[in-house]
Amino acid sequence: MTLDAFFVPTCYSDETVLSFCSRIAAMHTCSLQELCKYKRELDYVGIRDGDPKAIGKLTKYVGLKGERFPGVITNHIVDHMFEINGQRFTRASLRRAQVRVCPHCLQEDLKNENDHIAARPYGRVSWTIGSIRTCSKHETALVTAAKDDHPQRVHDFTLLVRPFLKDIDQHVASALHRTPSDLETYLDKRIKGESPNIWLCNLPVYAAARACEIIGATKIHGASVKTESLSEDQWYEAGHIGFEFAAKGAVGIQTYLDQMQLIFTQSRINWGARQIYGRLYEWLAHETDDSAYDELRDIIIEHALKTLPLGPEDEIFGKRPPNRILHSIHSAYLETGAHPKRLKKVLHAVGLINVDQLRQSDDRIVFRADEAKFYLDRIEESMSLNQVRAYINAPRPVERGLLEAGILKPWLQGGTEVFKDHAFAKRDVDDFLATLTAEAEPIASEETNLVPILRAAKLANCTTPEVVKLILKGNLRTIRLDPEETGFLSLLVDPSEVKPLVRREDHGGYSLREVERKLKTSTRVVKALIEHGYLQAETAVNPINRCPQTIVKRDVLHSFMVKFETANSLSRRTGNHLQTLMRRLKGLGINPAFPTDQVPATIFALDQVASADPELVPEP
């Protein structure tokens, strides 16, 4: 059986199926519940819940063309969850028991002569969506026409709106003019399948709307806003402001979270995610466990881990961070036990916190945990240089030499305006001792040639740090431990192994004693030659004893011996008696090359001798 066309009003594309049925009931001058009760073709519960069979029977009964109902169906998916045009809504996000309308739209409906006067106004689907509070067509704030959740009247649009229509002109005159918010525009397009591809589309439509509203509410009214006290107009503003951030996704939301954190740092409230993120955190942590908001939770978690001193013992949205990214002075104090004043002093000195941060409370001074780990690990086990000397059992001033050689390294440099003395960490000193003794074995009774490090350094004419470096580098084969000593003094080495390894590079010259032997003359003569500039000399470090000594470079001495020779040497080389040689040279007019009052030896220039008598300078 098909319903007489007289009783079937026009069905609009944006009209809800229950509004359409309510208008049919109005044509029958009865309520929706009464109509469905007496017309077996109408299954009220099925139509309300969007059951395909019930909708199919309705479509056929009223004689609508096509298989698909031309209006909008609200499908009841599961408990408290509905779907409109493929978009999901919760019961709380819909206004099913509250009739909200645009007075201008109803006024236009009344003037529409396509239908009987009793059934002209119809309910738009957008009016049932809680986060849409403005009519986009007339740019008018929606108003509540009726609020009645009585089982016999709920969803009966025409019946409920009838009293409101009596004063429609007055309602139109008093209607608030405003432009739809960006959130409302987005929701309207999304319901129509025209929404832009933005981050909010990752969330169900109801979650996208509510996220924008909560963000906006905390932005406008503060982090601790009491949302239950906000009016519809205030929610309109909140949605608009929140959309500005949420539409940009993680970047936009984290920008807003930065703002929330900045406001928090200017307060004296105790630190905590709840205190910083306020109502936004409370809502997601305690008021809803809906997984639809997990992406928003993840954004907040990421921001918290990057900007808040959260450790593995802290929890946010039921999750614990795998490791700490940031520390605060307070959390570092709890972790290390170091006094907050010393922590601030040290971290400021090494550049991890700035001057401005020092004015903040301990829980607000934050710094990167990885950059501070080296200092936090050592701050409570610090030792002075004197304490290090006692700890490693080394005599004074061995510790100073090891420091200057870079073997003992302070974790905190002294000698500054902030820190007078160096600070050493016990773990670093332990590592030094462990490495130093790693290859050492107990001494055997027959190893009587081994001596302590200090004695070996003296015998090898080197410094104590040099012997230590040879041990640390593994250059010594024999390293033993004295059972009667501990630490540094327990190490025994073989000085014969040390000596060749610490010998300095040869300076490339002859000592004065070697020059004497080469020239076959005396110390007095050599010193005179050098003193008067006839033989060039210089000062160099002895490669064995490290002492400065006067030397003559090998090439310099060789050049001198090619040019000059003593009378004694020339006499022996030529086979002439010294006196005979001297008379012969005098007869030839050859005088000594150097004045005898300066150089106490007779030395001739070989080129002069060869020029006067070639036989006196035979080929060598």
Side-chain angles (χ1 to χ4, degrees):
M1 180 179 178
T2 303
L3 183 64
D4 189 326
F6 172 81
F7 295 98
V8 181
T10 304
C11 185
Y12 299 93
S13 62
D14 60 341
E15 182 179 9
T16 67
V17 65
L18 287 173
S19 166
F20 177 70
C21 291
S22 176
R23 293 164 65 208
I24 294 175
M27 290 297 295
H28 285 81
T29 65
C30 66
S31 69
L32 176 58
Q33 290 278 10
E34 291 172 336
L35 178 67
C36 294
K37 182 179 181 180
Y38 295 107
K39 298 292 183 180
R40 58 183 179 81
E41 293 86 357
L42 301 180
D43 177 1
Y44 173 77
V45 174
I47 295 171
R48 181 196 65 189
D49 293 343
D51 179 70
K53 291 183 179 180
I55 300 298
K57 289 173 64 177
L58 166 66
T59 303
K60 184 177 180 181
Y61 176 62
V62 298
L64 295 175
K65 295 181 180 180
E67 297 181 358
R68 184 180 178 278
F69 181 72
V72 181
I73 302 168
T74 300
N75 295 306
H76 186 194
I77 305 173
V78 293
D79 289 345
H80 309 299
M81 188 65 67
F82 301 85
E83 188 175 83
I84 299 174
N85 288 346
Q87 300 294 331
R88 295 170 63 196
F89 293 86
T90 60
R91 183 185 298 277
S93 66
L94 297 175
R95 299 294 180 266
R96 307 194 79 192
Q98 178 186 10
V99 181
R100 298 183 309 157
V101 299
C102 168
H104 290 278
C105 288
L106 293 183
Q107 188 181 57
E108 288 184 355
D109 289 347
L110 290 172
K111 296 177 181 179
N112 186 351
E113 297 182 354
N114 289 337
D115 293 310
H116 190 279
I117 186 66
R120 289 177 183 175
Y122 72 92
R124 278 73 168 170
V125 66
S126 60
W127 297 350
T128 68
I129 298 172
S131 295
I132 296 181
R133 300 176 173 89
T134 308
C135 173
S136 58
K137 180 179 181 181
H138 299 102
E139 296 188 344
T140 301
L142 301 183
V143 297
T144 301
K147 190 171 184 180
D148 192 340
D149 58 357
H150 191 282
Q152 297 299 318
R153 293 184 292 274
V154 69
H155 305 309
D156 197 341
F157 176 82
T158 305
L159 175 66
L160 292 173
V161 82
R162 192 172 295 147
F164 183 83
L165 295 174
K166 295 178 181 179
D167 299 315
I168 189 62
D169 292 337
Q170 181 180 342
H171 292 309
V172 169
S174 61
L176 174 65
H177 175 79
R178 70 182 180 204
T179 304
S181 69
D182 290 342
L183 172 62
E184 291 173 322
T185 301
Y186 164 76
L187 295 176
D188 185 59
K189 289 183 177 179
R190 186 164 173 179
I191 293 169
K192 295 176 180 177
E194 304 171 356
S195 63
N197 185 21
I198 59 177
W199 175 81
L200 283 171
C201 292
N202 295 336
L203 277 60
V205 66
Y206 72 89
R210 194 57 176 167
C212 292
E213 291 172 344
I214 296 294
I215 290 173
T218 55
K219 173 65 176 175
I220 297 171
H221 304 287
S224 58
V225 58
K226 296 184 182 302
T227 54
E228 62 274 10
S229 66
L230 298 184
S231 66
E232 286 294 290
D233 291 339
Q234 289 173 317
W235 279 120
Y236 161 84
E237 293 289 343
H240 180 71
I241 296 298
F243 183 82
E244 293 181 9
F245 293 103
K248 299 173 184 176
V251 174
I253 293 172
Q254 291 192 353
T255 297
Y256 174 54
L257 298 179
D258 287 339
Q259 296 175 10
M260 297 185 84
Q261 194 172 50
L262 178 61
I263 294 172
F264 168 77
T265 58
Q266 297 169 350
S267 70
R268 295 184 177 275
I269 306 172
N270 290 333
W271 176 88
R274 179 180 301 176
Q275 288 74 20
I276 295 172
Y277 302 127
R279 186 64 173 172
L280 180 60
Y281 177 83
E282 289 284 346
W283 167 57
L284 292 172
H286 306 297
E287 297 178 20
T288 177
D289 58 0
D290 193 340
S291 61
Y293 298 103
D294 282 351
E295 283 201 38
L296 178 57
R297 291 187 182 97
D298 289 341
I299 291 173
I300 298 175
I301 290 174
E302 181 182 358
H303 182 269
L305 295 180
K306 288 181 178 179
T307 61
L308 302 180
L310 295 174
E313 72 284 356
D314 296 309
E315 186 176 284
I316 179 169
F317 298 134
K319 295 182 179 180
R320 295 179 183 271
N323 49 56
R324 182 182 291 278
I325 297 177
L326 292 180
H327 250 310
S328 69
I329 293 295
H330 181 66
S331 64
Y333 156 68
L334 294 177
E335 185 173 290
T336 66
H339 195 281
K341 287 186 177 180
R342 177 162 174 76
L343 282 169
K344 285 185 280 190
K345 188 176 180 181
V346 169
L347 296 175
H348 175 55
V350 298
L352 292 183
I353 60 177
N354 57 45
V355 176
D356 294 336
Q357 287 178 289
L358 294 177
R359 303 188 186 98
Q360 299 175 339
S361 59
D362 293 346
D363 61 335
R364 284 165 169 75
I365 301 176
V366 295
F367 47 90
R368 287 193 61 86
D370 55 351
E371 294 176 354
K373 186 178 188 305
F374 176 85
Y375 304 100
L376 297 182
D377 287 346
R378 289 161 173 76
I379 194 167
E380 277 302 288
E381 55 180 52
S382 287
M383 295 187 286
S384 67
L385 189 56
N386 285 337
Q387 290 173 318
V388 170
R389 175 173 54 79
Y391 186 74
I392 67 174
N393 190 28
R396 195 188 305 270
V398 168
E399 78 285 0
R400 179 63 60 180
L402 295 177
L403 169 65
E404 294 173 351
I407 297 172
L408 284 178
K409 298 177 181 179
W411 71 272
L412 190 63
Q413 291 289 337
T416 67
E417 293 182 1
V418 180
F419 297 102
K420 178 182 177 182
D421 300 317
H422 296 300
F424 300 84
K426 179 180 177 295
R427 68 181 60 200
D428 296 335
V429 179
D430 287 339
D431 288 344
F432 162 68
L433 286 176
T435 306
L436 194 64
T437 59
E439 302 299 325
E441 300 177 359
I443 189 171
S445 57
E446 66 273 10
E447 294 178 307
T448 57
N449 60 320
L450 304 184
V451 297
I453 292 175
L454 272 71
R455 179 62 180 164
K458 187 172 183 180
L459 293 173
N461 290 307
C462 67
T463 65
T464 299
E466 285 181 280
V467 181
V468 173
K469 286 183 178 180
L470 291 176
I471 297 173
L472 295 175
K473 292 179 180 178
N475 293 334
L476 299 182
R477 298 188 305 275
T478 308
I479 306 173
R480 300 291 184 264
L481 289 174
D482 184 348
E484 297 183 0
E485 289 286 357
T486 60
F488 185 83
L489 289 179
S490 68
L491 269 293
L492 302 174
V493 297
D494 186 348
S496 64
E497 289 184 21
V498 176
K499 289 179 180 179
L501 296 174
V502 297
R503 179 169 178 159
R504 295 287 180 88
E505 184 179 352
D506 189 84
H507 48 50
Y510 295 118
S511 67
L512 296 189
R513 184 58 57 87
E514 289 174 318
V515 173
E516 291 174 23
R517 291 196 294 267
K518 293 286 185 180
L519 295 180
K520 298 180 176 62
T521 186
S522 66
T523 301
R524 185 181 172 203
V525 172
V526 172
K527 289 184 176 180
L529 289 170
I530 293 173
E531 179 181 352
H532 293 286
Y534 302 126
L535 181 61
Q536 183 181 354
E538 59 185 72
T539 301
V541 176
N542 187 295
I544 297 176
N545 62 22
R546 316 285 181 88
C547 296
Q549 68 176 144
T550 302
I551 66 165
V552 176
K553 288 290 188 178
R554 293 185 177 92
D555 56 343
V556 172
L557 183 60
H558 176 74
S559 177
F560 182 86
M561 292 175 68
V562 169
K563 296 177 181 179
F564 304 100
E565 192 170 357
T566 63
N568 283 330
S569 175
L570 189 59
S571 170
R572 289 191 298 271
R573 191 159 65 88
T574 60
N576 292 305
H577 191 277
L578 178 61
Q579 295 299 327
T580 302
L581 177 65
M582 293 294 288
R583 286 195 296 269
R584 186 173 178 180
L585 290 175
K586 186 176 181 181
L588 293 172
I590 304 300
N591 295 316
F594 311 118
T596 55
D597 60 339
Q598 294 180 349
V599 180
T602 304
I603 301 175
F604 293 100
L606 293 177
D607 58 346
Q608 293 181 6
V609 175
S611 177
D613 187 349
E615 293 182 359
L616 294 177
V617 188
E619 290 294 329

